[in-house]
């Protein structure tokens, strides 16, 4: 099966706390790509990062960082010093190859609430 | 990244009617996708729409219920036909753009259309 599991349904933190969103994936592809998207209350889906399965280097972008570990099939997302504007639903996604085309499989999402 | 717009942004419709959602991109793209997001749920792919060919539907979605048009490389429509309250969802289009990695691209999403069926 090819799927993405985000075990944390909802997380609530106080502003300035660090928070990690977990993502575990399953795939039979040897080459694949992982993504994180943010969906604020307004509803649009905002692309955050794409990671190649061959590149296990951690990525940092401002307060955001991503930890990709193939050994545990995980691609976790950490927000440092969280802010109220970080409140959103965050989706992890996996690209899968079906019928010769690439498709995205999404996890169920983690709703993050950052309280002032 | 591509700039994607959708019309309408939201609508309230009566059971049994149909609604056509438009997706416009500011640049030419090969692949466009339509997703459904039911309340409180994740995204589910409805179909892939390539210009000049029939849309490819995912399991559980049929052309009679969700006809799709893709007349050119910057535009697509999704129609939700004979609507019922179960069709109340956010419908999102996405486009695939080229990234720095070969073969696999990144999908960017439109703002979505919030549909409520009474």
């Amino acid at each position: 099966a090819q799927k993405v599991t985000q075990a944390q349904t909802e997380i609530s933190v106080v502003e300035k706390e660090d928070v990690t969103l977990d993502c575990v994936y399953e795939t039979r592809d040897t080459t694949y790509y992982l993504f994180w998207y943010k969906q604020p209350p307004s509803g649009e889906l905002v692309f955050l990062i794409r990671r190649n399965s061959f590149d296990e280097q951690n990525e940092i972008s401002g307060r955001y960082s991503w930890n990709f570990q193939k050994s545990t099939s995980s691609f976790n997302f950490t927000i440092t010093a969280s802010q109220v504007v970080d409140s959103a639903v965050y989706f992890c996604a996996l690209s899968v190859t079906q019928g010769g085309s690439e498709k995205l499989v999404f996890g169920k999402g983690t709703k993050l609430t950052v309280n002032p | 990244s591509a700039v994607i717009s959708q019309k309408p942004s939201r609508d309230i419709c009566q059971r049994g009617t149909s609604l056509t959602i438009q997706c416009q991109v500011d640049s030419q793209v090969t692949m466009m996708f339509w997703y459904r997001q039911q309340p409180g749920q994740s995204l589910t792919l409805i179909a892939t729409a390539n210009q000049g060919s029939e849309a490819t539907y995912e399991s559980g979605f049929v052309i009679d219920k969700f006809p799709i048009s893709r007349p050119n490389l910057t535009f697509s429509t999704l129609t939700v036909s004979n609507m019922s309250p179960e069709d109340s969802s956010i419908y999102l289009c996405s486009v695939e753009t080229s990234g720095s990695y070969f073969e696999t691209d990144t999908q960017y999403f439109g703002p979505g259309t919030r549909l409520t069926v009474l």
Side-chain angles (χ1 to χ4, degrees):
Chain A
Q2 304 200 84
K3 67 176 185 179
V4 175
T5 301
Q6 294 180 255
Q8 304 150 308
T9 304
E10 294 191 38
I11 300 175
S12 182
V13 300
V14 177
E15 209 168 18
K16 297 184 183 178
E17 285 185 23
D18 298 348
V19 58
T20 296
L21 310 182
D22 298 333
C23 173
V24 175
Y25 63 93
E26 294 178 35
T27 182
R28 56 177 174 266
D29 292 344
T30 53
T31 300
Y32 52 90
Y33 296 79
L34 294 161
F35 302 82
W36 277 95
Y37 288 88
K38 173 183 179 180
Q39 188 175 43
S42 53
E44 77 273 22
L45 216 63
V46 178
F47 165 73
L48 295 178
I49 190 172
R50 176 183 64 196
R51 173 60 71 202
N52 184 321
S53 58
F54 294 122
D55 182 1
E56 288 194 69
Q57 284 192 350
N58 291 335
E59 176 99 5
I60 298 175
S61 176
R63 296 184 297 107
Y64 295 171
S65 62
W66 291 269
N67 184 348
F68 176 33
Q69 293 194 350
K70 288 182 71 172
S71 60
T72 56
S73 297
S74 65
F75 186 42
N76 296 337
F77 174 30
T78 297
I79 302 174
T80 303
S82 60
Q83 300 176 2
V84 173
V85 293
D86 295 327
S87 297
V89 180
Y90 291 86
F91 290 97
C92 181
L94 167 72
S95 66
V96 299
T97 303
Q98 286 182 2
S101 63
E102 297 276 346
K103 302 176 183 181
L104 284 183
V105 172
F106 284 84
K108 293 186 181 298
T110 297
K111 182 178 181 180
L112 173 65
T113 302
V114 181
N115 298 299
Chain B
S1 64
V3 176
I4 307 164
S5 60
Q6 283 187 235
K7 291 181 180 179
S9 59
R10 59 177 65 232
D11 207 343
I12 301 173
C13 300
Q14 296 297 319
R15 179 196 299 262
T17 62
S18 297
L19 176 72
T20 295
I21 302 169
Q22 299 179 4
C23 180
Q24 180 77 52
V25 192
D26 69 341
S27 57
Q28 294 185 340
V29 293
T30 302
M31 301 185 74
M32 296 180 77
F33 305 85
W34 286 98
Y35 289 83
R36 180 176 73 181
Q37 186 180 22
Q38 294 176 302
Q41 302 297 314
S42 186
L43 283 78
T44 301
L45 180 63
I46 298 172
T48 302
N50 293 335
Q51 193 267 340
S53 62
E54 295 285 331
T56 303
Y57 289 83
E58 297 298 302
S59 175
F61 297 96
V62 295
I63 187 171
D64 289 346
K65 176 67 176 177
F66 297 101
I68 289 171
S69 78
R70 181 80 200 275
N72 56 53
L73 292 174
T74 63
F75 186 78
S76 178
T77 67
L78 168 76
T79 298
V80 186
S81 303
N82 189 23
M83 289 183 286
S84 66
E86 291 72 34
D87 293 320
S88 297
S89 298
I90 299 175
Y91 291 86
L92 300 107
C93 71
S94 73
V95 304
E96 199 167 76
T97 63
S98 298
S100 58
Y101 301 104
F102 66 95
E103 295 183 324
T104 296
D105 302 332
T106 297
Q107 288 189 30
Y108 290 91
F109 286 79
T113 296
R114 292 179 182 268
L115 171 62
T116 301
V117 184
L118 303 177

